[in-house]
Amino acid sequence: MSATQATRPERKKKVAKAAAEQAELAHKCLYYMSLMREVEDRIERKLYRQGKIVGGVYVGRGQEAIPVGTALLAEPDDVLFPSHRDMAVFFIRGVPLGRILAQYMGRVDGLTRGRDGNMHMGDMSRNIVSIISALAATVPVAAGAAMALRYQGKNGVAFSYFGDGATSRGDWHEGVNLATVQKLPVLFICNNNQYAYSTPLSAQMACANVADRGPAYNMPAEIVDGNDVLAVHEATKRAVAHVRSGKGPYLLECKTFRMTGHSAHDAAHYVPQGLFDEWGKLDPITQLEAKMVKNGWADQEELDRVHSRVRSEVDEAVAWAEQSPYPDPSTLLDGVYENQ
Amino acid sequence: MSTTYLEAIREGLWEEMERDPNVFLLGEDIGIYGGAFKVTAGFFEHFGQKRVVDTPISEAAIAGAAIGAGLMGLRPVAEMQFADFISCGFDQIVNFAAKCRYRWNAAVPIVIRAPSGGGIHGGPFHSQNPEMWFVKTPGLKVVAPATAYDAKGLIKSAIRDNDPVIFLEHKALYRRIKEDLPAGDYTVPIGKAKVVREGRDLTIVTYGAMAWVALEAADTLAGEGVSAEVVDLRTLLPLDRETVCESVKKTSKVLLLHEDTRTAGIAGELAISITESVFEYLDGPIVRVTAPDTPVPYSPPLETAFLPNADKVIEKARWLFRY
Ligand SMILES: Cc1ncc(C[n+]2csc(CCOP(=O)(O)OP(=O)(O)O)c2C)c(N)n1
C-alpha cells in the first residue's frame, strides 16, 4: 500500500469537514444578516413612520455582510466599536433584540435608558463601545482600548468600524497614526458605501480607495467585496491573525453601497438610479442564499424557515419593546456622575 | 409674503453673495444637496462651484480654511452641519480665529453658521447649545437670533463684520416661525439687545428659541395682572449689558432664561453684571430658569423635562412677582 493511497480517505474527510464548516458559517451569516435587515426594515419602514421612533434613523441595508462577516471573528476579550450601520455587531455580541428596539423607541430598556437613540449605544459588559455622533471619534478611542488590551496582557483586538466619509476627520488620522506607530492591535474596518450623506467618494478624498490611505501609515490594507459575506469573513480572518500576532493594525476596506438615503428622511435624489439598480443585483443576502443553494448547503425550504424564524423573533422583540415604559422624567438628573 | 426663519437666513446669505463677490460658502453637503436643513438649496446652481464649496467631513479643515480665506480678504461663511460638530473644529475657532486680531492685528472676517438647540428629539449630539464655549473666548462674536427679521439682519451684519462671528441658528425655529420682512437691504447690529415686549413688574432676559417661550409666558402672566417685559439679547458676545440694566431699572425684578445648561450659562454672567451696575434698583433676588446640568436626553419625556417651557417660566415669575 503506497502512502498516497493511505491518505486519500483522510483528505476526503478533511474536505468534507471544511465544506460542512462553510455551510455552517453560511447559515450563521444568513441568520444574522436577515435579522439585521428585518429589524432595520421594521425600524425604518414601520416604527419610524408610525411615529414610534422620533429621532434620526440610519440603516445599513445592503451592508449587512460587513458587520456580520467581521464580528463573527471577535473573541470575548476583543472590543468592538460599531458605527451607525453595523447593527449586527450587537446581535452577535448577544444584545437582546428587544433592548435594541427599546433604544430606538426611547424606552427605559434601551441600552442608554432613553438617554440616547438609534445606534448610539454601547455595553461594556459585552465589550461594545458606543459611538458618539462625531464621525471617527471612536478611532483614537479604539487605539486606547487596544493599548489597554496589550497592557493587560490579553491577546485581544479592537475592531474599529467607520465609513468612507469618516476617514476625512482629523481624529481618524490621529488615531490611525497612533495605532500604527505603537503597533497596537486594532483592526480598522471601513464600510465604503461610496456616499457620505450626499457626498460621493470623489468629493471626499483624492485617492480612489480608502485602502490607499494604508501605505501612508505603513499599515497593510486590503480591499474586499463587502457584499460577499464569506469573502469578508475570510479577509477578516487574515487581518485578525495579523493583528493578533502583534504586527500592528490592519485596514480592511469593504466595498459596498448604501442602498438607502443617508437617513430615513433623505430620499437620496442625488444618487443616480442606475447605481441602485446595479448594486441591488448584488444584494448580500440574495447572493449568499444563491450560493447556499448552489453548493447544496440549503434548499429553498430551509431558507424560508430562516426568514420566518427571523420575522417571529422580531415580532416578539417589537412587542416586548413597546411594553417597555418611557423613562420617568424624575430620573432626568440621574447618572451624570457615578453616585448621583 | 411671510418669510420663515430659515428662509430669512437663506435670503440674507443670498443677498450678501449678490452684493459682495468675496462672500462664499463652504461646508458639508451644502452644494448640490443644499445643506442638511436646506438653507443653501439653490445656491450651487446660482452661484456655482467656486462660491459654494462642498467639503469633506472635516470640521477643523472647514474652520481653518475659512480663516485662511478670510485672512486673504475673502468673506467665507462656513456651515457646521449641526452645531454639535463645531467641537471638531474648536482649536481653529478659539485659538486661531479668535486671537489673530489681538496678537498681530490681522482681520479674520468669517462667519460660522451652526444649527443649534433642542426640541427636535435629536438626542445628546444633535441638540446642544454650545454658545458658552465661545462666549468664554475674547475675540469671537456670538449671535443667536430669535426672529426671522433678526436672523436676516444679523447674518448680513455677521458677514460684513471684520471679526469672526459664530452664528447660532435655532433648529426648532427654522420652519416654525415666520413674519413679513421689509423689502430691500437692512441689517441688525451685532451687540444690541432688544426689548421685544414692554412691561412694568419684572424683566425676562433671554435669547434664541426661549424668546418665544418668554413671550408665551408673558401673555399668560398678563392675564393674571403681572406685566412682564421681555429682553431678547440677540447677541451674546459682546453682551449688551446696558439694555438689560435699563430694563431692570424700570421693573426692579429680573428672571433670566436660557435653554443652555445651568452652570456657567449666560445667566450667571448677566446676574453679576446686573448686581455690579443696578443692584440698588433690585426689589428681589435675580432668578433663573434654565436646562439642568445634564446632556440633552433623547427620549421625549426626558427631553420635555429637560427643556425650559412657559409653565416653568410662569411659575418662577409668579414667585418673583409676589416677592
Ligand atoms: C464630525 C461630524 N460631522 C458631520 C456629521 C454628520 N454626518 C452624520 S453621518 C454623515 C456621513 C457619514 O458618511 P460615512 O462616514 O461614509 O458613513 P456612512 O453614513 O456612509 O455609512 C455625516 C456627514 C457627523 N456625524 N459628524
Side-chain angles (χ1 to χ4, degrees):
Chain A
M1 225 166 42
S2 78
T4 24
Q5 276 172 327
T7 57
R8 193 170 291 149
E10 284 291 307
R11 205 160 60 213
K12 247 188 169 163
K13 238 195 201 152
K14 241 176 151 178
V15 170
K17 190 167 165 252
E21 276 172 10
Q22 275 296 94
E24 197 193 317
L25 174 65
H27 275 278
K28 227 188 236 176
C29 291
L30 179 65
Y31 168 69
Y32 284 122
M33 287 162 69
S34 306
L35 192 57
M36 176 165 160
R37 177 77 52 94
E38 184 68 25
V39 172
E40 291 194 331
D41 277 359
R42 290 297 171 97
I43 286 172
E44 190 197 42
R45 296 175 174 180
K46 264 222 169 97
L47 298 165
Y48 178 76
R49 290 182 192 170
Q50 291 169 345
K52 290 178 179 167
I53 293 169
V54 292
V57 163
Y58 316 85
V59 297
R61 189 173 309 125
Q63 304 182 193
E64 296 90 345
I66 300 163
V68 172
T70 52
L72 280 174
L73 285 154
E75 300 289 339
D77 270 349
D78 294 347
V79 53
L80 295 98
F81 295 74
S83 192
H84 54 293
R85 302 192 203 274
D86 298 312
M87 184 184 280
V89 170
F90 290 84
F91 308 154
I92 291 169
R93 294 301 264 196
V95 177
L97 286 188
R99 296 205 60 195
I100 296 172
L101 287 152
Q103 162 83 6
Y104 276 78
M105 291 191 241
R107 309 300 176 99
V108 281
D109 290 302
L111 291 190
T112 64
R113 304 157 352 269
R115 276 145 170 78
D116 208 338
N118 57 52
M119 292 289 288
H120 295 142
M121 56 182 169
D123 180 355
M124 285 315 291
S125 74
R126 294 183 163 89
N127 274 1
I128 304 175
V129 176
S130 170
I131 46 169
I132 63 170
S133 267
L135 296 157
T138 46
V139 172
V141 180
M147 209 180 258
L149 287 169
R150 191 165 71 185
Y151 191 103
Q152 293 160 342
K154 296 174 182 161
N155 197 20
V157 172
F159 286 55
S160 171
Y161 293 85
F162 45 82
D164 41 288
T167 70
S168 296
R169 286 278 334 280
D171 281 16
W172 190 88
H173 292 271
E174 294 185 25
V176 168
N177 187 53
L178 177 65
T180 48
V181 78
Q182 293 270 339
K183 279 198 183 327
L184 296 170
V186 190
L187 172 56
F188 294 111
I189 301 157
C190 178
N191 83 69
N192 181 352
N193 62 15
Q194 307 185 47
Y195 276 87
Y197 209 150
S198 77
T199 306
L201 199 72
S202 59
Q204 193 70 244
M205 60 192 75
C207 42
N209 309 292
V210 172
D212 298 346
R213 297 195 187 288
Y217 296 96
N218 198 20
M219 166 172 63
E222 177 178 343
I223 295 172
V224 64
D225 176 355
N227 282 27
D228 179 344
V229 70
L230 299 178
V232 171
H233 189 268
E234 205 47 44
T236 306
K237 235 194 238 169
R238 277 193 296 279
V240 166
H242 173 97
V243 174
R244 224 183 276 288
S245 72
K247 292 189 191 131
Y250 195 103
L251 170 60
L252 199 60
E253 175 183 4
C254 308
K255 298 270 197 201
T256 184
F257 198 74
R258 196 189 70 202
M259 292 300 294
T260 63
H262 166 64
S263 62
H265 70 261
D266 171 26
H269 293 307
Y270 48 84
V271 177
Q273 184 57 40
L275 281 175
F276 284 127
D277 297 342
E278 189 185 312
W279 282 88
K281 292 189 198 118
L282 303 172
D283 182 80
I285 295 176
T286 318
Q287 281 201 77
L288 178 63
E289 288 180 340
K291 186 176 277 174
M292 289 172 77
V293 171
K294 184 166 153 251
N295 291 344
W297 297 341
D299 57 22
Q300 191 55 46
E301 216 172 289
E302 265 179 288
L303 299 180
D304 292 344
R305 268 204 304 279
V306 172
H307 290 294
S308 60
R309 173 185 162 200
V310 159
R311 272 193 302 274
S312 63
E313 283 180 10
V314 179
D315 286 343
E316 207 176 294
V318 170
W320 185 86
E322 292 200 68
Q323 303 256 315
S324 171
Y326 281 105
D328 183 337
S330 71
T331 63
L332 172 64
L333 302 181
D334 299 352
V336 179
Y337 300 103
E338 185 178 14
N339 296 310
Q340 182 203 316
Chain B
M1 208 186 67
S2 25
T3 308
T4 63
Y5 182 88
L6 184 146
E7 288 159 357
I9 296 166
R10 190 218 311 277
E11 278 183 15
L13 288 168
W14 188 283
E15 289 173 20
E16 288 305 290
M17 287 181 77
E18 293 280 18
R19 186 187 61 79
D20 181 353
N22 285 325
V23 179
F24 78 102
L25 312 180
L26 72 167
E28 294 157 17
D29 306 290
I30 64 166
I32 297 162
Y33 192 63
F37 294 97
K38 303 288 177 197
V39 173
T40 56
F43 280 58
F44 183 85
E45 291 77 2
H46 184 76
F47 294 104
Q49 201 170 334
K50 181 177 161 192
R51 299 183 69 196
V52 185
V53 181
D54 271 322
T55 68
I57 303 168
S58 306
E59 284 75 8
I62 294 169
I67 295 167
L71 285 166
M72 298 297 289
L74 301 185
R75 294 198 170 260
V77 181
E79 175 178 299
M80 294 289 137
Q81 203 156 75
F82 282 82
D84 309 67
F85 304 133
I86 202 169
S87 48
C88 300
F90 200 64
D91 187 51
Q92 292 289 346
I93 298 168
V94 303
N95 282 325
F96 212 120
K99 295 172 179 49
C100 278
R101 168 84 64 195
Y102 185 72
R103 289 168 51 243
W104 55 294
N105 197 28
V108 180
I110 68 171
V111 181
I112 299 184
R113 293 181 36 239
S116 67
I120 58 149
H121 310 306
F125 306 109
H126 291 79
S127 308
Q128 292 177 85
N129 292 287
E131 44 267 37
M132 298 311 286
W133 297 349
F134 303 105
V135 170
K136 251 317 269 153
T137 304
L140 298 179
K141 296 184 179 182
V142 180
V143 302
T147 66
Y149 180 90
D150 287 346
K152 181 171 176 182
L154 279 166
I155 192 72
K156 288 184 167 231
S157 293
I159 290 169
R160 297 177 196 185
D161 202 284
N162 287 329
D163 286 308
V165 181
I166 309 292
F167 189 87
L168 297 170
E169 29 195 80
H170 202 293
K171 299 190 290 291
L173 298 179
Y174 269 152
R175 294 181 170 83
R176 208 168 66 196
I177 58 162
K178 51 165 100 176
E179 65 184 296
D180 292 328
L181 297 186
D185 186 45
Y186 73 90
T187 59
V188 169
I190 292 177
K192 278 263 161 267
K194 186 179 178 190
V195 177
V196 292
R197 181 185 172 115
E198 302 260 359
R200 293 180 318 270
D201 299 326
L202 58 92
T203 298
I204 303 173
V205 184
T206 190
Y207 60 95
M210 287 298 127
W212 298 97
V213 168
L215 289 170
E216 188 190 335
D219 267 345
T220 307
L221 289 164
E224 303 172 3
V226 180
S227 165
E229 177 146 306
V230 177
V231 175
D232 176 4
L233 291 169
R234 306 195 292 184
T235 298
L236 302 179
L237 186 67
L239 189 59
D240 182 1
R241 296 175 172 85
E242 216 176 302
T243 300
V244 172
C245 289
E246 278 310 308
S247 177
V248 173
K249 272 160 103 175
K250 184 170 130 192
T251 63
S252 298
K253 288 182 176 175
V254 62
L255 183 158
L256 308 170
L257 166 65
H258 55 69
E259 186 186 311
D260 188 13
T261 51
R262 197 167 186 81
T263 301
I266 196 86
E269 179 56 35
L270 286 166
I272 191 70
S273 300
I274 293 164
T275 309
E276 281 170 344
S277 309
V278 289
F279 178 72
E280 60 274 24
Y281 289 88
L282 285 173
D283 282 342
I286 300 170
V287 297
R288 61 181 160 170
V289 176
T290 71
D293 287 329
T294 71
V296 188
Y298 160 65
S299 186
L302 291 180
E303 191 183 18
T304 303
F306 172 88
L307 291 171
N309 58 30
D311 287 343
K312 295 175 192 177
V313 174
I314 291 162
E315 198 189 320
K316 197 58 118 182
R318 282 182 190 140
W319 180 89
L320 182 60
F321 175 71
R322 286 193 303 265
Y323 184 88

